[in-house]
Amino acid sequence: MDNEIKNKNYWLYFEDYKACLNEYSEYVNMLVNCYIDFVTLKKDKNVSSKEISEYRKDTLKQLKILLETIKEKSFNSKEKDVFIAIEHIRNVYKLDDLDLVCLVLSIEIKRNEEIIKKIKSIDAKVKSSLTLEAVMKLYYFVYDVYDIEDYYSKLKKLKSDMNDLCFKQASTELDDRLFSYIMSNSQEEINLSGVKKYFSQDSEKLVAREEFAQKITNFIKQSSQKDTVYIHIFGSKGIGKRTVTKRMCDILKEDLIFFDVNSCPRKNEKEFTNAVLTAFREAVIIGGFICIENFDTLLDNPEDNKYYIDFLLNKSKIFSSKVIVLSEKNEGYLDFSEEKIWFDIEIPELNKEESALIWEYYMKEISDFTDVSFTDMANKFSFNPMQIKCTIKEAKRLYLWNDKNKLGNKEMSECAYKQVVQKLDDKATLIHAKHNWKQLVLDSNEKTMLKNACDQIKYKHIVYDKWGMGNRILYGRGLSMLFAGPPGTGKTMAAQVVANELGLDIYKIDLSQIVSKYIGETEKNLNDLFNEAKKSNVILFFDETDALFGKRTEVKSSHDKNANIETSYLLQKMEEYDGITIMTTNYLENIDKAFFRRISYVIHFAFPNKDSRKKIWKNMYPKEMPLSKNIDFDYLARQFEISGGSIKNIALTSAFMAARDEKPLEMKHIILAVKYELGKQGKTLIKDDFSEYSYLLD
């Protein structure tokens, strides 16, 4: 009984794909043989038209039965989990019987050279391959439905369908990729320019953005199957658009084809057309989603690229009902028919909590050779996932280069900065910060305030992200500081101390390269400056900003109005910037008080008193420098009321004098250096000004 059922079922479906190919082969051979027989019979004068008609009727019946049997078996095979590649192609492309005949004929021709030989024996016009016109002629002749108008309309449609299937030119010869797929019934890998495949898998949840991926997935599930839905995901480079897309396909258990527009040739329309069809055909073959990358590059010049845009989007409807479009920027809604749905989804920048999770995930790879905290790295660098991943790779290389010595904060920061493209050199100068808190001589209250300012950066992720202050303060999360005091009082040194404490690069801004006489140019320069600073996460150091931040002028001319606009715009960009901006002024009284509300901290640098000057003198000479025992720091601090900047110049000059004399540094060297430095400032000193050390001038 079981055998009877088995035998019966055998006739209802294909047990394997090979059986299906064999029956299609039988159909094609029968079709060709009928054609040859009919042509031969017509040439035979001894055969009547009635006999030919009866023969045609009988053979057509067999052809139709066989074709219908194949269709039914193919349909039933699906219920038995037998995948039929030809039927998959037929369904996706919506091929009719004539299209299908063309397809199976092309398969048989490619696998059996005898077919061409048979047709050539009866038709001298046939060469190495059948043209679409020849297939039409064969089909119409056998089925006896030849009508010239219908012939041309069918031929036009046939050429369009076959072109989509990537037949070679006007012939029925399949290209190698499609033939390989149909013959093997498999989803084998193939290298195509601009095309990458992703097969869904049981992946882990995303470290960050899992809810985001789930939300997109739910939207796709709820959308109508009749509509072509375009999911447009946009965000900055490296933000995770591909990762989210892959995770979405994993959840849906759908395979995916990535098609990169930038890798697609656009020298002419034909090249682009072929590339698109080839890529989209791969999506058909795997039966998955199509994801178009860098779509926005076409929209940079929409008028010039109109053909490419229309062709790409219109063809996507044929191949897939669900299309993912990835781009860096949002070009807004495109004009589609009602059948198409365009849905824009932005992937925002990582918040500190998300960033910390990703840092933690990747830093597990280097836990054996670094003690750097992932929270510190997340707080310090506003990186996207790609930059974090690349930082870890760079850390691995540096570890090997340093003979496997553990990496500290400094080394990890170096690896991080390498991931950022710095374009600040035209408008700013990198300062190598080496000063520390011990070297900074500053009033204790002001120093405490400066340390508090640094803590605002160190712990901002806790306050804004974990404690929810970010929901209350949506604007102005950066740190802006104003250092006020006379020249040489340590403002630049303090800026370096901040940079060193936080492990950040600091750039001194050249205002002459920023401020422009042309209206709107200053704002453009400032916008470019802050955009680059955001990428680099650097400290922007505006030195001597009195001219720029002075009291707002009464608007008497367009120049005055523009100057006020520039100042306001700079303060606006400082508030928007999540990093650190430091400004200095020699004259605090000249700064408009209205600006103070937009500045986080104002640090006062007073002219150093005697005790402060003594500390500066002693800190200025490193322990490696040979000093004689007669250096009188109390005298130097008491006798000369000078700034820290002047003391620095004197210390350097005296050191070179000592090196020249090949002796340890002595008071004589310092006294002579004091005379030179104060003389440079226009102060004329006589011997008596040096009191008990005046003899050193002899």
Side-chain angles (χ1 to χ4, degrees), residues 196-284:
K196 293 183 180 179
K197 299 180 185 180
Y198 177 77
F199 296 105
S200 63
Q201 52 194 285
D202 294 327
S203 61
E204 297 180 356
K205 291 183 178 181
L206 296 179
V207 177
R209 307 284 168 75
E210 176 67 19
E211 292 183 3
F212 194 82
Q214 289 281 359
K215 191 173 182 179
I216 300 176
T217 303
N218 293 334
F219 175 80
I220 292 175
K221 285 181 178 179
Q222 294 169 13
S223 59
S224 172
Q225 296 297 321
K226 296 180 180 180
D227 297 323
T228 299
V229 180
Y230 292 88
I231 307 295
H232 176 215
I233 303 174
F234 64 96
S236 60
K237 185 178 180 181
I239 198 62
K241 300 183 291 292
R242 266 177 151 254
T243 302
V244 168
T245 303
K246 287 180 180 179
R247 176 57 182 159
M248 177 196 70
C249 287
D250 288 342
I251 299 170
L252 293 170
K253 300 186 183 307
E254 294 277 1
D255 298 329
L256 178 67
I257 286 289
F258 285 103
F259 175 59
D260 190 354
V261 172
N262 287 346
S263 300
C264 184
R266 295 202 296 274
K267 292 181 180 179
N268 56 60
E269 293 180 358
K270 186 177 180 180
E271 281 188 342
F272 183 85
T273 298
N274 291 336
V276 170
L277 290 173
T278 303
F280 277 47
R281 185 191 59 197
E282 285 299 304
V284 171

Side-chain angles (χ1 to χ4, degrees), residues 129-143:
S129 64
L130 283 182
T131 63
L132 297 177
E133 285 86 350
V135 173
M136 287 287 293
K137 179 181 177 182
L138 184 155
Y139 181 85
Y140 269 50
F141 188 86
V142 172
Y143 281 83

Side-chain angles (χ1 to χ4, degrees), residues 139-364:
Y139 181 85
Y140 269 50
F141 188 86
V142 172
Y143 281 83
D144 196 25
V145 288
Y146 200 95
D147 180 274
I148 195 66
E149 292 185 3
D150 189 38
Y151 174 87
Y152 281 114
S153 64
K154 288 275 190 177
L155 181 61
K156 185 177 180 181
K157 178 183 179 302
L158 189 65
K159 284 184 174 180
S160 176
D161 291 341
M162 296 304 106
N163 185 46
D164 280 348
L165 279 169
C166 295
F167 279 74
K168 295 181 179 179
Q169 299 178 351
S171 76
T172 59
E173 185 182 356
L174 281 175
D175 71 18
D176 294 336
R177 171 58 181 143
L178 189 57
F179 179 75
S180 174
Y181 168 73
I182 291 175
M183 291 302 299
S184 63
N185 201 42
S186 66
Q187 300 177 356
E188 64 186 35
E189 192 60 56
I190 189 169
N191 295 321
L192 294 170
S193 179
V195 178
K196 293 183 180 179
K197 299 180 185 180
Y198 177 77
F199 296 105
S200 63
Q201 52 194 285
D202 294 327
S203 61
E204 297 180 356
K205 291 183 178 181
L206 296 179
V207 177
R209 307 284 168 75
E210 176 67 19
E211 292 183 3
F212 194 82
Q214 289 281 359
K215 191 173 182 179
I216 300 176
T217 303
N218 293 334
F219 175 80
I220 292 175
K221 285 181 178 179
Q222 294 169 13
S223 59
S224 172
Q225 296 297 321
K226 296 180 180 180
D227 297 323
T228 299
V229 180
Y230 292 88
I231 307 295
H232 176 215
I233 303 174
F234 64 96
S236 60
K237 185 178 180 181
I239 198 62
K241 300 183 291 292
R242 266 177 151 254
T243 302
V244 168
T245 303
K246 287 180 180 179
R247 176 57 182 159
M248 177 196 70
C249 287
D250 288 342
I251 299 170
L252 293 170
K253 300 186 183 307
E254 294 277 1
D255 298 329
L256 178 67
I257 286 289
F258 285 103
F259 175 59
D260 190 354
V261 172
N262 287 346
S263 300
C264 184
R266 295 202 296 274
K267 292 181 180 179
N268 56 60
E269 293 180 358
K270 186 177 180 180
E271 281 188 342
F272 183 85
T273 298
N274 291 336
V276 170
L277 290 173
T278 303
F280 277 47
R281 185 191 59 197
E282 285 299 304
V284 171
I285 287 175
I286 70 169
F289 282 63
I290 185 77
C291 179
I292 306 170
E293 295 186 277
N294 296 308
F295 181 74
D296 48 332
T297 59
L298 292 174
L299 299 178
D300 289 338
N301 297 294
E303 294 295 326
D304 295 340
N305 294 321
K306 187 177 185 308
Y307 171 82
Y308 304 119
I309 295 170
D310 292 343
F311 184 84
L312 186 60
L313 296 175
N314 289 331
K315 286 300 176 184
S316 66
K317 184 186 176 189
I318 298 173
F319 288 87
S320 177
S321 62
K322 302 295 185 293
V323 182
I324 311 296
V325 179
L326 305 184
S327 65
E328 291 188 25
K329 51 195 175 187
N330 186 17
E331 295 293 340
Y333 182 84
L334 299 181
D335 186 21
F336 296 115
S337 68
E338 294 181 357
E339 296 179 348
K340 302 173 184 176
I341 300 172
W342 184 276
F343 192 66
D344 295 308
I345 303 172
E346 181 180 10
I347 298 186
E349 301 295 326
L350 296 172
N351 59 39
K352 292 301 180 183
E353 187 175 355
E354 291 171 330
S355 180
L357 288 172
I358 296 175
W359 274 107
E360 181 183 18
Y361 177 79
Y362 284 114
M363 286 186 73
K364 290 177 183 177

Side-chain angles (χ1 to χ4, degrees), residues 380-399:
K380 185 176 178 180
F381 296 100
S382 301
F383 276 6
N384 60 45
M386 183 176 68
Q387 289 172 320
I388 296 172
K389 187 177 181 180
C390 290
T391 299
I392 302 305
K393 287 184 177 179
E394 183 63 30
K396 290 179 180 179
R397 289 193 288 266
L398 184 61
Y399 174 67

Side-chain angles (χ1 to χ4, degrees), residues 369 395-407:
F369 53 87
K396 290 179 180 179
R397 289 193 288 266
L398 184 61
Y399 174 67
L400 296 174
W401 178 255
N402 289 346
D403 296 325
K404 298 185 177 181
N405 291 322
K406 274 197 171 187
L407 306 181

